[in-house]
Amino acid sequence: MLAMTVVMLSYLESARMIQQKTAAGQIARKYILRMETVGTLTDADRAALWGELEAAGITGITLDGTTTWQVDYGEPVVLQIQGTLGSGYEFTEKRVSTAKH
């Protein structure tokens, strides 16, 4: 019975971290599409992105490597999110696309 409880708790923690990682991927997709249109990650979008990631339960967020300057039409834009899920699992979500503004 004790072993079954340990396995169940482990499964629930893993499922929660997978859900957080999936949420981070969907949030990243939303903002890279916005970046394609605008050509950069604006200050307003950065604040909204940060808020959505925190609401998803992600901590230790950094956006190092993200395009924060205006790029020309056809130039690549990069969105790179690094953070920590649940019980200390670090992840990186990187999206690259072409500016189409």
Side-chain angles (χ1 to χ4, degrees):
M1 191 66 138
L2 182 62
M4 184 73 119
T5 303
V6 169
V7 168
M8 190 66 161
L9 291 174
S10 176
Y11 169 77
L12 290 173
E13 177 64 19
S14 296
R16 187 174 64 80
M17 286 194 319
I18 290 170
Q19 182 182 16
Q20 285 178 322
K21 177 65 170 83
T22 302
Q26 290 299 316
I27 293 166
R29 181 180 184 279
K30 174 181 172 181
Y31 283 92
I32 194 68
L33 291 173
R34 175 85 174 128
M35 289 172 70
E36 284 179 357
T37 304
V38 178
T40 186
L41 182 64
T42 65
D43 291 337
D45 285 343
R46 175 185 283 262
L49 170 61
W50 203 279
E52 287 187 40
L53 291 170
E54 286 180 337
I58 299 167
T59 59
I61 303 165
T62 62
L63 300 175
D64 296 340
T66 298
T67 304
T68 56
W69 58 92
Q70 185 68 44
V71 298
D72 294 328
Y73 178 85
E75 294 294 316
V77 288
V78 177
L79 176 60
Q80 183 167 314
I81 302 167
Q82 297 169 325
T84 305
L85 302 174
S87 55
Y89 178 78
E90 294 181 10
F91 78 99
T92 300
E93 182 75 30
K94 184 174 183 178
R95 302 285 173 119
V96 179
S97 190
T98 304
K100 300 172 183 158
H101 58 97

